[in-house]
Amino acid sequence: MTRRETDALVVGRVVGDVLDPFTRSISMRVIYPNNTEVINGRDIKPSLLLNPPRVNIGGHDLRTFYTLIMVDPDAPSPSEPTLREYLHW
């Protein structure tokens, strides 16, 4: 019996196509100024994304630095994902 994958990053082909598999170590929330939160699988209209979002990164060690890159694995469309690694902001 095969186990069905439920991780949204794997299902959305972010892990595998854009990123190598990894182990999550901290929490992160991305919220745009209009209170739209980025959640895996949520479609957000481009008109709501005019300004860069607020990014809250968890963790207790303030000496640790993180690199954040936003990608859209199916940009501009799922059938033609030619802009999936475009730097959005």
Side-chain angles (χ1 to χ4, degrees), residues 47-67:
S47 61
L48 298 177
L49 309 177
L50 296 176
N51 297 305
R54 182 178 73 242
V55 179
N56 297 330
I57 299 176
H60 301 289
D61 186 352
L62 299 178
R63 298 171 295 174
T64 302
F65 293 95
Y66 301 96
T67 299

Side-chain angles (χ1 to χ4, degrees), residues 9 19 22 26-32 38 52-58 65-71 85-89:
L9 294 176
L19 298 172
F22 64 94
I26 60 166
S27 63
M28 181 180 72
R29 291 181 69 197
V30 179
I31 304 168
Y32 280 89
V38 174
R54 182 178 73 242
V55 179
N56 297 330
I57 299 176
F65 293 95
Y66 301 96
T67 299
L68 174 65
I69 299 171
M70 181 181 164
V71 296
E85 296 186 44
Y86 177 79
L87 181 59
H88 291 274
W89 44 262

